[in-house]
Amino acid sequence: MAVTYTKLWHILIDKGMKKKDLQQAADLTNHTMLKLRNNENITTETIGKICKALDCRADDIMEFFEEA
């Protein structure tokens, strides 16, 4: 299973936020932002921080898919 954060980027656009705004609002490191941009795994703690900052649920910002 692989993960994509495409939904997260759409939420940021809808809210008029930039990635840097999310990083500050959720107190994320540069490394975590790089992992998000590259659709890599992040911790559930980080998912919680993002969801709290954006007032959303985990399935609003990410989805899993089968790798080919």
Side-chain angles (χ1 to χ4, degrees):
M1 293 292 280
V3 65
T4 181
Y5 301 103
T6 303
K7 290 178 164 185
L8 172 60
W9 311 130
H10 289 287
I11 287 175
L12 292 183
I13 291 168
D14 292 344
K15 291 183 178 271
M17 294 177 71
K18 296 182 180 186
K19 291 176 183 175
K20 192 71 171 172
D21 299 328
L22 172 64
Q23 184 175 0
Q24 291 174 346
D27 192 30
L28 305 176
T29 64
N30 288 334
H31 182 70
T32 298
M33 292 303 294
L34 179 63
K35 291 177 96 174
L36 287 167
R37 284 192 292 275
N38 291 326
N39 291 318
E40 296 177 11
N41 292 328
I42 58 174
T43 67
T44 53
E45 179 182 358
T46 300
I47 293 168
K49 286 180 175 182
I50 294 169
C51 290
K52 183 176 180 182
L54 298 176
D55 190 31
C56 65
R57 301 179 322 172
D59 63 340
D60 293 330
I61 63 168
M62 60 189 283
E63 60 186 336
F64 294 97
F65 64 94
E66 289 288 331
E67 291 183 278

